[in-house]
Amino acid sequence: MSEPENELLLDHEYDGIREYDNPLPAWWVYTWLATVLICFPYVAWFHGAEGRTIQDQYEQELTDFAQAMIATYGDLDADQDTILRYMQDDVAMAGMASQFKGKCATCHRADGSGNVGPNLTDDSWINVTKVEDIVGVIRNGVPAKGMTAWGGTFSDTQLVLMAAYVASLRLHPVDGKAPQGNEIAPWPELAPTANASGAPAADAGTQ
Ligand code: HEC
């Protein structure tokens, strides 16, 4: 062992093994310190402000879009024809799909195939016999069974559009949670007059 190196030796010794005082380079220590300091504002920014993933930002845009769209639909009636009509409105249904993904998918899965909540894509329903019943279930929930009441979250118009979206899930059955409740008749056909008289979105562009 050469002499100059001995100056770096620490003065303890274990079983003949001695240790150098070998500090980390300054650049390394300051880089490490910088990452520690940056993490606080970064966490605040990411969770508290704009720092969303691209996926989140996309979903936020869809949600904003859905809300703007709802502002344009005005007050919708929770009747059969209105629900059936909006089931065919691709723009409204795309907006509701993002709402469903954000608020309902934890229990019903994004494709509606069921998890904690029942499969919404099959023909068996627990609380629904007519398509317009869906509005009430979403509004009031089934608190005893774990279905949240959404009346405070969604406006009446949103409830109608969400009911239309849920009803539309049944048109694309997905193998998921086993059927619960009773098998019900298919949704009725949309009366042609209702379609002709009042589908704002379907005809808006052709005028
Ligand atoms: C916390 C879990 C949970 C969330 C979140 C949730 N649901 Fe449910 N949902 C349930 C459960 C559980 C049931 C079954 C209720 C019962 O057994 O009567 C249910 C039932 C339903 C039904 C009736 C199904 C039937 O067969 O009668 C509809 C419609 C429905 N949910 C729509 C929605 C929509 C729309 C959302 C989002 C806005 C939503 N749910 C969010 C748990 C949830």
Side-chain angles (χ1 to χ4, degrees):
M1 197 169 282
S2 67
E3 272 312 300
E5 280 180 337
N6 275 342
E7 287 166 21
L8 296 171
L9 275 175
L10 298 173
D11 56 8
H12 52 254
E13 178 176 337
Y14 298 102
D15 297 335
I17 298 170
R18 305 199 56 193
E19 189 186 358
Y20 279 132
D21 179 11
N22 211 359
L24 289 163
W27 67 263
W28 196 99
V29 174
Y30 287 120
T31 307
W32 174 74
L33 267 180
T35 61
V36 170
L37 293 177
I38 284 168
C39 86
F40 294 105
Y42 181 79
V43 166
W45 173 78
F46 190 84
H47 291 288
E50 295 301 307
R52 297 282 175 250
T53 61
I54 288 174
Q55 178 74 20
D56 290 340
Q57 288 173 18
Y58 172 70
E59 278 167 16
Q60 183 62 47
E61 275 177 31
L62 284 185
T63 306
D64 291 348
F65 174 63
Q67 271 154 9
M69 181 189 72
I70 282 152
T72 67
Y73 285 128
D75 288 333
L76 296 181
D77 292 331
D79 59 29
Q80 176 182 297
D81 275 353
T82 309
I83 296 169
L84 295 176
R85 195 169 77 222
Y86 278 99
M87 278 171 70
Q88 300 175 359
D89 184 323
D90 292 343
V91 180
M93 292 304 95
M96 282 301 125
S98 89
Q99 292 281 333
F100 189 88
K101 216 171 147 202
K103 300 199 166 71
C104 323
T106 35
C107 295
H108 292 283
R109 291 202 194 283
D111 60 5
S113 63
N115 184 13
V116 178
N119 189 336
L120 299 174
T121 73
D122 62 18
D123 292 331
S124 295
W125 294 74
I126 305 166
N127 306 284
V128 173
T129 49
K130 304 185 298 297
V131 72
E132 54 272 36
D133 296 342
I134 300 175
V135 180
V137 180
I138 302 173
R139 175 185 282 122
N140 305 318
V142 189
K145 300 288 181 59
M147 164 64 184
T148 325
W150 295 94
T153 311
F154 291 129
S155 67
D156 285 353
T157 292
Q158 281 175 306
L159 285 168
V160 172
L161 294 175
M162 181 55 90
Y165 178 73
V166 168
S168 76
L169 292 173
R170 193 183 169 193
L171 306 181
H172 310 281
V174 183
D175 245 359
K177 204 172 178 191
Q180 290 170 274
N182 304 310
E183 202 168 317
I184 61 169
W187 306 139
E189 291 291 317
L190 179 60
T193 47
N195 199 7
S197 67
D203 301 333
T206 59
Q207 212 59 7

